[in-house]
Amino acid sequence: MERVHLHRLLSSHAKRRHFLLGAGTLTASAIASLWTHKVAAKSRFSAYPFSLGVASGDPLPDSVILWTRLAPDPLNGGGMPPVNVPVRWQIAADENMRKVVLRGVTLATPQLAHSVHVNVRGLQPDRWYWYQFTVGSEDSPIGRTRTAPAIGSRLNQLNFAFVTCQKWEDGYYSAYRHLAQEDLDLVFHLGDYIYEYGISANGGVRNVSLPSEFRKETNTLEQYRLRYALYKTDPDLQKAHALFPFSVTWDDHEVENDYTDNLSENNDPVAKFLQRRAAAYQAYYEHMPLREFSIPQGPDMPIYRRLTFGNLAEFSVLDTRQYRSDQPCTDGETPRCPAALDPAKTMLGTQQERWLLDGLDRSQARWNILAQQVLMAELDHKIGSGEIFWNDSWDGYPLARNRVLNHIANRRISNPVVITGDWHSTFANDLKLDFKATNSPTVATEFVTPSISSNGDRNVYGPYYGPMIPENPHIKFFDGDRRGYFRVNLNYDRWQTDLRIVTTVSRPDAPVYTFASFVVENGRPGVQSA
């Protein structure tokens, strides 16, 4: 997964073609399409082709990924002819695009829904850059991005946000409108970028009439493409993507609720589900600013990776869906069954778990962050005697969790913090080797961000989970029914995180406020109120 391996995915002939076209990403099928599809001599469109905006992602000290997709008719299949379209790109040192430092041409191919992924190399570390695409006579919006500091360099501070769960029909993206005004270096999206369920004819809270295809559950590549297009038409989401590089990972709804590895929620035949997973993974790649190593190969798509910011912070971005064992104690809430104590049961898969632990051992960063999807802290649902756990979280895989936390403790990993999505609620947790022992040491800290819009303004989880919190004293803060995001300011001495909450998602211009703030001090794991 290291940078040195990226180009091994391309043949030597493809590399040469890749170089001549500029720093675009091409899958094997897209490379083949260079010879099977005509290249448009002149590009003319029925409407503005950059309707889905622009984005950047996964910054390295000398490169960043730039993304766009040509879609003049985004909610009706994209509206592009089945031809390859040359797309010009340029990146500049100023917001007016006058000090251009690099430019090139890549191809938008029908095999990738006319999306492009430009791996721009040769940039300076720790710099803001501005970028733009052009096709025919049409210019995209100007986007802004930032490279990472040089490996090992001293970085005094890092500002970032993390978000999750943005069900389109449940509410407006007012949180993104305010996130776009923050002073940030990057944003982490921790999963559930889309939801696969059918959408009502009136578009739910948004009250927008949609084509009938959206009322069906998402199963095919064409349907997944439509769903991403719908979400990406949102102007506030577009603005956030255009202003900051994103590092993304998925959870379940990018494919299907609560799936594990090759097993579907409803126990569909494995071959049928893998066909659906392949479609979902391809659409995800097509719509995200991801690097070349994440090019999907059928139903397989590597996405876990590591991002380093000077000597201050290193992020291990995890995938807790593609490689996990089936829930040992079945789906839903149950007492802990004997199968959960099978050491072969894994959340990350053997290879990814080893990669994570080895990377933590090698890290030279002051802060080591696990960016992942599902609740890591124990949450006992049973009030009073006995125990009940939600099996789709790390509670369903307690020995896998123990392996990670014991490794962190035994190897004295510097300042481990876990950032989590999924729950549509906010948690601030002390992570312990034994959650039942009051004197068990805290070895790491976890912050679970609320949803951007999922569950809307309804009071769903507060009344349900609230009474359980006293049974779980390692949970230092809980809120179940507010929407927003976490904003983090990180320096050598402390992690300061602010819970930014919008008053409602029933309108796009809702105000934002800081509901709570927390601190983690260097060398002292655990949550403190700011």
Side-chain angles (χ1 to χ4, degrees):
M1 315 308 288
E2 301 299 331
R3 185 172 31 157
V4 70
H5 299 308
L6 295 180
H7 300 296
R8 295 179 187 172
L9 293 170
L10 300 174
S11 68
S12 59
H13 179 77
K15 285 183 188 176
R16 182 173 182 274
R17 169 66 63 167
H18 178 274
F19 172 77
L20 292 172
L21 291 171
T25 295
L26 302 175
T27 66
S29 62
I31 290 168
S33 79
L34 295 173
W35 316 111
T36 59
H37 287 273
K38 295 180 180 180
V39 175
K42 291 185 179 180
S43 301
R44 296 178 181 176
F45 305 99
S46 59
Y48 185 55
F50 297 105
S51 62
L52 305 182
V54 299
S56 70
D58 278 7
L60 298 177
D62 61 350
S63 77
V64 70
I65 300 298
L66 307 182
W67 173 92
T68 194
R69 179 188 167 198
L70 306 180
D73 194 1
L75 302 190
N76 288 286
M80 290 293 294
V83 296
N84 298 322
V85 179
V87 179
R88 304 189 301 277
W89 59 268
Q90 57 183 349
I91 189 164
D94 70 304
E95 60 185 328
N96 296 315
M97 301 298 297
R98 292 173 183 157
K99 300 176 183 177
V100 175
V101 296
L102 288 168
R103 55 165 51 94
V105 180
T106 189
L107 283 183
T109 72
Q111 276 82 354
L112 291 179
H114 292 97
S115 65
V116 297
H117 299 71
V118 181
N119 184 3
V120 182
R121 304 180 185 90
L123 301 175
Q124 295 298 309
D126 202 17
R127 300 278 183 89
W128 284 108
Y129 288 96
W130 288 259
Y131 61 94
Q132 189 173 37
F133 298 93
T134 300
V135 59
S137 60
E138 300 279 7
D139 293 330
S140 76
I142 294 173
R144 186 183 69 166
T145 192
R146 187 177 181 88
T147 52
I151 301 296
S153 64
R154 182 174 178 84
L155 180 63
N156 292 326
Q157 68 171 357
L158 183 69
N159 296 306
F160 65 94
F162 54 103
V163 300
T164 194
C165 299
Q166 52 190 49
K167 195 174 183 184
W168 183 88
E169 61 267 34
D170 276 5
Y172 290 96
Y173 294 161
S174 44
Y176 276 126
R177 178 170 296 196
H178 294 286
L179 183 146
Q181 299 172 17
E182 304 278 12
D183 178 17
L184 303 174
D185 298 304
L186 75 161
V187 176
F188 288 87
H189 197 292
L190 302 177
D192 295 343
Y193 194 98
I194 64 164
Y195 282 73
E196 80 281 17
Y197 305 127
I199 302 174
S200 63
N202 68 349
V205 170
R206 294 180 183 240
N207 195 28
V208 174
S209 179
L210 295 173
S212 60
E213 190 65 21
F214 286 96
R215 293 198 279 280
K216 305 173 185 176
E217 178 153 340
T218 307
N219 282 278
T220 68
L221 177 58
E222 292 73 21
Q223 289 175 318
Y224 282 111
R225 286 170 171 171
L226 282 174
R227 195 58 56 96
Y228 281 102
L230 174 66
Y231 279 54
K232 282 182 169 290
T233 56
D234 184 274
D236 295 316
L237 177 58
Q238 284 193 20
K239 188 173 183 180
H241 271 299
L243 284 173
F244 311 114
F246 271 57
S247 180
V248 301
T249 187
W250 52 38
D251 192 25
D252 52 344
H253 290 290
E254 287 85 354
V255 181
E256 183 195 45
N257 180 57
D258 287 357
Y259 85 94
T260 60
D261 190 10
N262 60 7
L263 301 173
S264 73
E265 179 183 27
N266 297 315
N267 296 311
D268 294 327
V270 169
K272 178 182 178 181
F273 178 68
L274 287 180
Q275 185 176 19
R276 179 181 184 179
R277 196 177 91 171
Y281 283 8
Q282 179 171 335
Y284 186 83
Y285 177 79
E286 290 172 349
H287 291 87
M288 297 295 156
L290 288 165
R291 290 188 171 273
E292 293 162 336
F293 73 81
S294 290
I295 295 171
Q297 301 295 324
D300 302 315
M301 182 174 161
I303 196 172
Y304 63 88
R305 60 210 188 273
R306 191 168 287 118
L307 296 173
T308 304
F309 292 82
N311 64 353
L312 182 61
E314 186 163 276
F315 295 84
S316 297
V317 183
L318 304 182
D319 174 359
T320 64
R321 284 291 163 190
Q322 188 172 186
Y323 311 109
R324 70 154 82 179
S325 307
D326 191 21
Q327 285 99 336
C329 302
T330 73
D331 297 346
E333 298 171 306
T334 69
R336 183 159 288 154
C337 66
L341 303 181
D342 179 354
K345 300 300 183 182
T346 173
M347 175 67 85
L348 302 176
T350 302
Q351 182 175 335
Q352 183 182 189
E353 185 176 308
R354 186 73 263 156
W355 168 88
L356 170 63
L357 302 184
D358 288 348
L360 291 172
D361 284 345
R362 292 194 302 268
S363 174
Q364 300 298 310
R366 175 64 66 95
W367 298 85
N368 289 277
I369 302 103
L370 277 59
Q372 58 99 52
Q373 295 78 14
V374 293
L375 186 69
M376 183 171 276
E378 186 173 275
L379 177 56
D380 179 6
H381 291 203
K382 183 73 163 61
I383 300 173
S385 60
E387 296 177 326
I388 293 178
F389 299 104
W390 177 251
N391 293 318
D392 193 56
S393 70
W394 284 86
D395 274 339
Y397 307 79
L399 296 193
R401 175 174 58 200
N402 289 352
R403 288 194 296 270
V404 174
L405 294 181
N406 275 293
H407 187 91
I408 285 172
N410 293 337
R411 302 307 291 264
R412 299 183 179 180
I413 303 303
S414 179
N415 294 321
V417 179
V418 179
I419 59 175
T420 299
D422 178 62
W423 215 269
H424 307 182
S425 302
T426 307
F427 293 82
N429 305 320
D430 289 349
L431 297 179
K432 295 177 174 290
L433 299 179
D434 183 350
F435 289 100
K436 295 305 181 187
T438 57
N439 62 346
S440 180
T442 297
V443 300
T445 313
E446 180 181 30
F447 294 104
V448 182
T449 187
S451 68
I452 289 288
S453 62
S454 300
N455 284 132
D457 292 329
R458 300 188 300 278
N459 294 324
V460 177
Y461 292 122
Y464 183 66
Y465 288 110
M468 306 172 189
I469 302 305
E471 303 285 321
N472 299 269
H474 53 276
I475 297 175
K476 301 303 180 182
F477 176 89
F478 169 77
D479 180 81
D481 297 302
R482 291 175 173 86
R483 310 288 154 240
Y485 56 93
F486 266 123
R487 177 185 66 194
V488 178
N489 172 258
L490 188 60
N491 60 39
Y492 280 90
D493 297 322
R494 59 187 249 155
W495 166 301
Q496 162 105 24
T497 187
D498 300 317
L499 177 56
R500 302 282 284 163
I501 293 296
V502 292
T503 58
T504 180
V505 294
S506 64
R507 68 177 207 261
D509 61 345
V512 70
Y513 63 100
T514 298
F515 184 67
S517 295
F518 309 96
V519 166
V520 182
E521 294 181 351
N522 172 46
R524 184 183 173 189
V527 178
Q528 302 177 57
S529 296

